[in-house]
């Protein structure tokens, strides 16, 4: 492979890179070209200890010439038996899964305001009370808590967060009953460093907590908290994760491939093609060294995979490594930078072709040294191409969330880079220099009307708390820091022609808490309390994606609508009452109220309906709109008489009242059927309601 890579890259260097002329015709510059190589079939030169690959690329896709074929996936690609060489968490990170979902239960203010855990007037955010304690997490069905985050109601010199008692129940068994600090100081196995840490004003742990049927967490003081949890099959090899965290900043790959180094000189305003690789492979490591730190924002990295005409990666070069401005020292698991050098260890697989370009958007010539390691051969299917999408707002718009990402397909969100700043004009407009950072991160998955993940501020994106706020006397937290999954630049104050500018940069890598999506994902950021203050944003979203929506709509059952109920053979056994609700979903402050009708079902009542689906479905996804005013409540779900899970509303909300309860149903209960009977039984202690069912089916 080393020999192949040297030929493929360095032949191009000799003809193009050193003289820095883009000799292609105007027509050729419009689209990335597949290119030709004078090599004989390069796969013939792969040694036996690397990925086994006997595929050839042709116009119809991948054509396999051996018997190592597991499943044909709709003719777009074949899934081969995964190579044992891709054997650690990082190397498998580009692989995609189905029926895996990430959610959050947090202390976010359900009124849409900013009381996310301050305890103002004794009011705390929680799901419900039980035995004199606050229930701050409650979930049914199988799952894994993949991240815990706590932030004190006052700066970390206050002992409240350290003294509050935490009780964790897994499958109705009390597994922990300890002060909160024990989860984060490393003194209580298995919550050891570096998977847990006290951090900077925020305390976090990535040790996975699995449960089969239910998990519940109680406390005596409910301040700021986040619990991120995943539903579905989760990789919980804690030994592998611990080793990866301990070696943050070093290559986590067990696969070895020689780094090839070469300089690239880019005149101002020009774009240079740096790498072309015309066979299946995976970029395992990408490094860049710039001659000036301004080039982290002036040089733009563009990568095209497998004949794409629009770059999948199109961001300022520094953002691949964690920041573009202000640049600062970052030592993350998958990416980081130190002065003028950056590294990225995220695997970037491709099926036939990869082209990397660098554009100089600055006003002076620039140079950069590239170091790249590529291993040839096919990556285990199914996988997503690596994407990095840039967006900006100069400044943001009042009353609306700032949009970081909206994309369709099948993939997973793995990281965010957020550079933001404020100038004197916005300070005067907003009334202060930091209040815009109170805005929450909101992530909507697969077309949901409310965020499945809802944070409590800009800081908590980076597991951080208590930014510079001299009025409250806790500016000590506004200092640079770097951890394996997140980092922050600290506040940078500089004079500009338009007055003082205050800049900050932060990032977050979702290592164990990545966010899968099957048809769509939307990521947005509130600014100030309710989008009532502005700031300037430059952001990048990092994700893997395969360009197909594998979740398709099957039907919509509008409960309370006679025609829809008749079409789905809807009926209720037991006591039921018609209801009408006027409300709105939690989330963006621009959301508007609307009226929906449905039914309230008393304890023990069962609703029944039929759903038509394609026989070749690979499982279904049920989303039920409810009014959680009288939560918690739940409904056991049966498909053709077999219990498949529970639709659960864990808490009450009397403000922005609409919410969706969701459940994935595996293919073993639906595949081969063109119609199924669904029953939902109220098995709780309070009435439940249902307003609308959206039913989807998986194609993979």
């Amino acid at each position: 492979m080393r020999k192949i890579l040297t030929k493929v890259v360095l032949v191009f260097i000799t003809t193009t890179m050193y003289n820095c002329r883009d000799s292609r015709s105007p027509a050729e510059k419009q689209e990335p070209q597949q290119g030709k190589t004078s090599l004989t079939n390069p796969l013939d030169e792969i040694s036996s200890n690397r990925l086994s690959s006997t595929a050839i690329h042709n116009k119809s896709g991948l054509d396999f010439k051996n018997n190592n074929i597991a499943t044909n996936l709709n003719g777009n690609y074949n899934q081969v038996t995964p190579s044992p060489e891709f054997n650690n968490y990082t190397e498998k990170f580009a692989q995609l899964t189905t029926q895996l979902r990430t959610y959050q239960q947090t202390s976010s203010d359900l009124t849409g305001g900013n009381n996310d855990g301050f305890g103002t007037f004794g009011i705390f955010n929680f799901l419900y009370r039980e035995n004199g304690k606050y229930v701050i997490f409650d979930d049914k069905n199988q799952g894994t808590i993949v991240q815990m985050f706590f932030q004190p109601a006052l700066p970390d010199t206050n002992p409240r967060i350290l003294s509050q008692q935490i009780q964790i129940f897994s499958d109705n068994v009390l597994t922990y009953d300890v002060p909160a600090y024990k989860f984060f100081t490393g003194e209580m196995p298995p919550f050891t460093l570096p998977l847990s840490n006290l951090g900077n004003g925020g305390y976090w742990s990535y040790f996975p907590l699995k449960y089969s049927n239910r998990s519940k967490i109680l406390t005596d003081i409910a301040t700021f908290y986040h619990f991120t949890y995943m539903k579905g099959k989760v990789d919980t090899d804690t030994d592998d994760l611990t080793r990866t965290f301990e070696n943050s900043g070093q290559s986590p790959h067990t696969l070895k491939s020689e780094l090839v180094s070469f300089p690239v000189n880019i005149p101002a305003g020009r774009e240079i093609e740096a790498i072309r690789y015309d066979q299946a492979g995976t970029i395992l490591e990408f490094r860049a060294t710039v001659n000036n730190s301004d080039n982290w924002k002036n040089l733009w990295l563009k990568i095209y995979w497998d004949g794409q005409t629009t770059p999948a990666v199109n961001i300022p070069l520094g953002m691949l490594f964690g920041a573009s401005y202000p640049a600062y020292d970052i030592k993350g698991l998958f990416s980081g930078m130190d002065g003028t050098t950056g590294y990225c260890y995220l695997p970037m697989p491709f099926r036939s072709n990869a082209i990397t370009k660098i554009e100089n958007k600055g006003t002076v010539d620039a140079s950069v040294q590239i170091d790249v390691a590529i291993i040839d051969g096919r990556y285990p299917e199914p996988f997503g191409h690596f994407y990095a999408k840039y967006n900006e707002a100069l400044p943001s718009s009042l009353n609306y969330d700032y949009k970081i990402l909206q994309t369709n397909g099948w993939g997973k969100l793995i990281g965010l880079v957020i550079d933001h700043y404020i100038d004197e004009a916005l300070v005067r407009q907003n009334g202060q220099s930091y209040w815009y950072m109170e805005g929450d991160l909101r992530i909507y998955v697969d077309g949901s009307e409310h965020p499945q993940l809802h944070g409590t501020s800009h800081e908590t994106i980076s597991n951080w708390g208590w930014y510079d706020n001299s009025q409250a006397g806790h500016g000590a937290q506004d200092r640079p820091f770097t951890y394996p999954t997140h980092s922050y630049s600290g506040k940078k104050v500089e004079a500009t022609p338009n007055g003082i500018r205050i800049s900050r940069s932060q990032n977050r890598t979702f290592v164990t808490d990545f966010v899968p999506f099957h048809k769509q994902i939307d990521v947005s950021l509130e600014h100030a309390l309710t989008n009532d203050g502005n700031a300037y944003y430059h952001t990048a979203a990092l994700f893997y994606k395969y360009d197909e929506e594998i979740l398709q709509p099957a039907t919509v059952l509008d409960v309370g609508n006679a025609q829809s109920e008749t079409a789905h053979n809807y009926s209720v056994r037991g006591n039921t009452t018609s209801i009408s609700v006027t409300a709105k979903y939690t989330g963006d402050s621009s959301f508007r109220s609307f009226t929906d009708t449905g039914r309230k079902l008393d304890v023990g009542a069962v609703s029944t309906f039929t759903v038509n689906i394609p026989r070749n479905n690979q499982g279904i996804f049920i989303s039920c709109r409810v009014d959680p005013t009288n939560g918690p409540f739940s409904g056991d779900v049966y498909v053709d008489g077999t219990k498949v899970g529970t639709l659960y509303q864990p808490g009450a909300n009397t403000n922005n009242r609409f919410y969706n309860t969701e459940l994935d149903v595996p293919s073993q209960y639906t595949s081969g059927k063109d119609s199924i009977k669904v029953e939902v039984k109220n098995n709780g202690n309070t009435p439940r309601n249902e307003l609308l069912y959206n039913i989807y089916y998986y194609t993979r």
Side-chain angles (χ1 to χ4, degrees):
M1 178 269 155
R2 296 184 179 96
K3 183 177 181 181
I4 296 170
L5 179 60
T6 302
K7 287 183 180 179
V8 173
V9 176
L10 295 187
V11 164
F12 190 80
I13 294 171
T14 303
T15 58
T16 305
M17 293 181 184
Y18 285 138
N19 57 27
C20 297
R21 291 195 302 269
D22 190 343
S23 59
R24 293 173 296 147
S25 67
E28 290 175 319
K29 294 178 183 178
Q30 298 303 309
E31 296 183 357
Q33 303 298 307
Q34 291 293 327
K36 301 292 184 180
T37 176
S38 60
L39 294 173
T40 58
N41 185 358
L43 297 174
D44 295 338
E45 301 189 38
I46 300 175
S47 61
S48 60
N49 65 341
R50 295 189 175 87
L51 279 177
S52 173
S53 179
T54 55
I56 60 173
H57 182 71
N58 55 36
K59 293 182 180 179
S60 63
L62 290 175
D63 179 21
F64 291 86
K65 285 191 171 182
N66 61 11
N67 295 321
N68 195 26
I69 302 175
T71 308
N72 184 282
L73 300 178
N74 292 352
N76 294 327
Y77 59 75
N78 288 355
Q79 183 176 17
V80 301
T81 302
S83 166
E85 293 180 347
F86 287 95
N87 57 10
N88 71 20
Y89 190 84
T90 305
E91 290 166 353
K92 296 183 292 184
F93 206 47
Q95 288 187 285
L96 302 180
T97 57
T98 62
Q99 298 201 9
L100 181 64
R101 295 184 177 275
T102 301
Y103 297 93
Q104 273 187 336
Q105 293 182 22
T106 73
S107 60
S108 59
D109 188 341
L110 295 178
T111 69
N114 192 49
N115 189 7
D116 296 324
F118 295 100
T120 305
F121 305 113
I123 299 173
F124 298 108
N125 296 333
F126 56 93
L127 298 174
Y128 57 94
R129 298 292 296 271
E130 182 177 288
N131 299 324
K133 294 184 179 294
Y134 300 98
V135 177
I136 55 177
F137 179 82
D138 189 7
D139 182 54
K140 292 185 177 181
N141 303 309
Q142 183 180 32
T144 304
I145 298 174
V146 292
Q147 186 235 11
M148 291 195 301
F149 171 84
F150 283 90
Q151 178 186 336
L154 293 171
D156 62 1
T157 54
N158 186 287
R160 295 181 70 182
I161 187 63
L162 300 179
S163 63
Q164 71 183 98
Q165 197 77 3
I166 300 293
Q167 293 180 331
I168 299 181
F169 292 83
S170 295
D171 300 323
N172 298 316
V173 175
L174 179 61
T175 54
Y176 297 96
D177 188 358
V178 297
Y181 70 86
K182 286 185 176 290
F183 292 103
F184 310 109
T185 59
E187 64 185 84
M188 183 180 72
F191 297 89
T192 55
L193 304 176
L195 293 183
S196 303
N197 207 303
L198 287 175
N200 279 53
Y203 313 140
W204 43 269
S205 173
Y206 288 101
F207 184 84
L209 296 171
K210 298 178 70 70
Y211 50 96
S212 299
N213 301 300
R214 189 177 189 179
S215 179
K216 187 162 56 175
I217 300 178
L218 295 81
T219 184
D220 52 351
I221 301 175
T223 57
F224 298 91
Y225 63 85
H226 293 187
F227 294 100
T228 305
Y229 59 108
M230 302 186 82
K231 313 288 288 188
K233 186 178 180 180
V234 177
D235 187 344
T236 55
D237 186 343
T238 54
D239 290 338
D240 186 11
L241 288 175
T242 299
R243 286 191 299 269
T244 304
F245 273 62
E246 288 175 341
N247 296 319
S248 184
Q250 303 175 35
S251 174
H253 299 297
T254 57
L255 289 166
K256 300 302 179 184
S257 181
E258 182 181 2
L259 275 172
V260 175
S261 303
F262 51 90
V264 183
N265 301 305
I266 311 109
R270 295 286 301 279
E271 180 180 278
I272 295 297
E273 183 175 289
I275 301 172
R276 178 184 292 270
Y277 201 76
D278 286 319
Q279 67 177 72
T282 302
I283 297 175
L284 291 178
E285 185 172 345
F286 187 95
R287 291 178 174 269
T289 301
V290 296
N291 64 336
N292 186 307
S293 60
D294 285 344
N295 287 334
W296 289 132
K297 61 178 179 178
N298 292 336
L299 296 181
W300 281 59
L301 178 68
K302 301 179 181 181
I303 305 179
Y304 303 78
W305 310 114
D306 299 328
Q308 292 174 333
T309 58
T310 300
V313 176
N314 189 5
I315 56 172
L317 180 60
M319 283 190 163
L320 181 67
F321 311 122
S324 65
Y325 187 84
Y328 61 104
D329 288 351
I330 300 171
K331 190 178 180 182
L333 283 182
F334 296 154
S335 60
M337 59 170 55
D338 179 7
T340 56
T341 298
Y343 65 86
C344 179
Y345 299 131
L346 287 166
M348 305 180 193
F350 47 96
R351 297 178 176 88
S352 61
N353 174 262
I355 298 173
T356 299
K357 299 180 180 182
I358 300 176
E359 180 183 0
N360 183 356
K361 293 190 176 184
T363 58
V364 298
D365 296 351
S367 63
V368 58
Q369 176 174 304
I370 300 296
D371 300 89
V372 64
I374 304 177
I375 186 165
D376 42 67
R378 293 172 316 212
Y379 192 87
E381 299 282 4
F383 71 81
H385 287 131
F386 174 70
Y387 282 77
K389 291 298 185 183
Y390 174 84
N391 200 15
E392 65 181 30
L394 305 173
S396 52
S397 299
L398 291 175
N399 303 318
Y400 295 92
D401 278 11
Y402 165 65
K403 299 298 183 182
I404 296 176
L405 174 69
Q406 191 284 316
T407 192
N408 290 58
W410 174 25
K412 58 183 180 182
L413 177 71
I414 61 168
L416 296 174
V417 179
I418 305 175
D419 296 346
H420 45 91
Y421 66 92
I422 192 166
D423 58 19
E424 287 190 13
L426 285 187
V427 169
R428 289 191 295 270
Q429 175 182 311
N430 296 348
Q432 37 54 49
S433 63
Y434 56 85
W435 209 237
Y436 74 92
M437 294 175 63
E438 288 297 310
D440 303 339
L441 178 70
R442 300 193 259 242
I443 302 178
Y444 306 77
V445 178
D446 291 340
S448 174
E449 296 94 340
H450 67 83
Q452 279 90 344
L453 293 90
H454 191 158
T456 54
S457 68
H458 284 33
E459 317 108 280
T460 57
I461 298 170
S462 297
N463 288 329
W464 162 43
W466 302 111
Y467 50 76
D468 179 33
N469 181 348
S470 57
Q471 293 178 354
H474 45 77
Q477 303 305 331
D478 200 351
R479 58 184 184 268
F481 60 80
T482 181
Y483 293 100
T485 63
H486 54 280
S487 61
Y488 170 63
S489 65
K491 180 176 68 174
K492 181 176 181 179
V493 181
E494 59 186 332
T496 72
N498 297 321
I500 296 296
R501 177 167 127 168
I502 302 173
S503 303
R504 296 175 170 95
S505 180
Q506 61 184 106
N507 66 53
R508 171 74 173 272
T509 303
F510 303 107
V511 180
T512 58
D513 52 339
F514 59 85
V515 185
F517 55 96
H518 306 86
K519 68 187 298 289
Q520 183 182 10
I521 188 169
D522 293 82
V523 183
S524 68
L525 186 60
E526 182 186 40
H527 35 95
L529 306 186
T530 55
N531 290 323
D532 53 352
N534 278 331
Y536 297 88
Y537 291 98
H538 302 268
T539 59
L542 312 182
F543 55 100
Y544 290 104
K545 188 179 78 166
Y546 184 75
D547 284 324
E548 179 184 336
E549 297 179 20
I550 67 166
L551 192 65
Q552 295 294 323
T555 192
V556 176
L557 166 57
D558 187 0
V559 181
N561 180 292
Q563 183 177 359
S564 183
E565 289 186 350
T566 299
H568 294 88
N569 301 312
Y570 179 87
S571 64
V572 177
R573 300 194 308 271
N575 294 328
T576 181
T577 306
S578 296
I579 59 174
S580 177
V581 181
T582 299
K584 68 176 184 176
Y585 279 100
T586 59
D588 193 321
S589 58
S590 66
F591 290 174
R592 296 292 178 257
S593 296
F594 62 95
T595 300
D596 198 7
T597 59
R599 294 182 182 272
K600 181 179 74 172
L601 289 79
D602 288 347
V603 175
V606 181
S607 62
T608 302
F609 53 93
T610 58
V611 177
N612 296 326
I613 49 178
R615 295 180 66 87
N616 63 348
N617 75 85
Q618 298 300 307
I620 66 170
F621 174 62
I622 301 174
S623 177
C624 178
R625 179 187 296 159
V626 299
D627 172 12
T629 300
N630 297 316
F633 52 77
S634 64
D636 286 342
V637 179
Y638 297 79
V639 171
D640 293 333
T642 301
K643 184 179 177 180
V644 296
T646 301
L647 287 169
Y648 186 49
Q649 169 57 42
N653 183 9
T654 59
N655 297 286
N656 302 318
R657 290 160 50 186
F658 287 139
Y659 194 81
N660 295 336
T661 57
E662 301 177 344
L663 178 68
D664 274 311
V665 179
S667 61
Q668 66 193 79
Y669 303 106
T670 62
S671 184
K673 301 178 181 180
D674 53 20
S675 180
I676 57 174
K677 176 184 176 181
V678 178
E679 296 174 285
V680 185
K681 179 180 180 180
N682 183 354
N683 66 339
N685 300 316
T686 58
R688 66 175 292 271
N689 60 78
E690 49 192 33
L691 305 174
L692 184 82
Y693 282 95
N694 277 294
I695 313 293
Y696 302 85
Y697 67 93
Y698 288 94
T699 61
R700 299 193 189 277

